[in-house]
Amino acid sequence: MFERIGMTKKGVVSIAVIILFGCVLFVSTGFRTTQIEYEGNTRYTDEEMTNFIFGGKYNVNTLIYYFFTSKKDKAVIPFVQDYEVSVAWPNKLEIKVYEKSIIGYIRYMGYNLYFDKDGMVVDSSKDILEGVPEVMGLDYTNVVLHTQLNVEDKKIFTVLLELVQLCEKYEIPADKVFFDKIGNMTIYMGDIRIMMGDSSTITEKLYEVSQMMSQMQGLSGTLHMENFSEDTTSIIFKKDNE
């Protein structure tokens, strides 16, 4: 007679726990990140991005992050719209960063409040970001972080976005932009003020400004572009103290 060999439920559970523990140990020790590669980040260094996303823990487990981090659990980074993480098997993370379009900042109660193309205030800082102009003359009452600036004319954000993009394209270092009550713009570029008038022909005007950059280098004064058109034959630059 043969004796039936069986296994208790307790034994089955014990074996399952051992197998699970072994899998966890294998994953946690065998797939630790040794390299993180970023793409698209210009506002933050790679080290800063790693601190934001992983809290500075460079050896984060690639599989655990890849499979168990949901969109709602992603790190909130002021100047970053989103980021995508993929695993370059098995020890490398590749992270693609999508930055917000920051078009300007206003000074408010001793801080620089940065806002994006929709007028959303994304960060409050003492620092000044390179390539982002200070915007003056906007009519608003109060400012709340992570909400839209409550300006009367929301079209101002579209104008600012176009202005910033054109200045970048034509390599015009705009430090400040001032809007008067009727929407006329003045661009400050070091010691030079560029009177732009309205935004109707902003592309043509800024292209002409770019062509005169070398001639204005080291000067201080006002460049009058208010009445510029394709028929304009001369542009007035008035030096300070003249």
Side-chain angles (χ1 to χ4, degrees), residues 26-33 60-63 89-91:
F26 174 71
V27 168
S28 63
T29 58
F31 295 95
R32 283 192 175 277
T33 302
V60 63
N61 188 285
T62 57
L63 293 184
W89 197 269
N91 302 112

Side-chain angles (χ1 to χ4, degrees), residues 56-93:
K57 297 179 181 179
Y58 189 77
N59 62 345
V60 63
N61 188 285
T62 57
L63 293 184
I64 290 177
Y65 185 88
Y66 188 71
F67 289 111
F68 296 102
T69 300
S70 65
K71 190 173 183 64
K72 67 181 179 63
D73 294 327
K74 282 186 171 183
V76 177
I77 309 173
F79 299 117
V80 173
Q81 185 71 38
D82 197 4
Y83 59 89
E84 296 176 350
V85 180
S86 59
V87 177
W89 197 269
N91 302 112
K92 178 182 177 183
L93 289 180

Side-chain angles (χ1 to χ4, degrees), residues 159 179-180 182-186 195-203 205 225-228:
V159 173
F179 289 91
D180 67 14
I182 58 175
N184 291 321
M185 295 181 290
T186 301
M195 308 293 288
M196 294 287 292
D198 60 34
S199 61
S200 58
T201 55
I202 186 173
T203 302
K205 289 176 180 178
M225 300 294 295
E226 306 99 312
N227 301 314
F228 175 84

Side-chain angles (χ1 to χ4, degrees), residues 1 12-13 22 30 36 60 80 84 121 133 137 152 155 158 183-184 212:
M1 172 180 282
V12 172
V13 171
I36 302 178
V60 63
V80 173
E84 296 176 350
V121 180
E152 184 175 347
K155 293 179 182 178
T158 302
N184 291 321
M212 295 182 286

Side-chain angles (χ1 to χ4, degrees), residues 144-160:
V144 180
L145 198 60
H146 306 308
T147 61
Q148 189 181 52
L149 281 174
N150 57 343
V151 297
E152 184 175 347
D153 185 6
K154 298 296 191 295
K155 293 179 182 178
I156 198 74
F157 302 128
T158 302
V159 173
L160 269 171

Side-chain angles (χ1 to χ4, degrees), residues 171-189:
E171 298 182 347
I172 299 172
D175 304 318
K176 303 176 183 179
V177 182
F178 173 77
F179 289 91
D180 67 14
K181 296 296 183 181
I182 58 175
N184 291 321
M185 295 181 290
T186 301
I187 298 174
Y188 291 80
M189 187 179 67

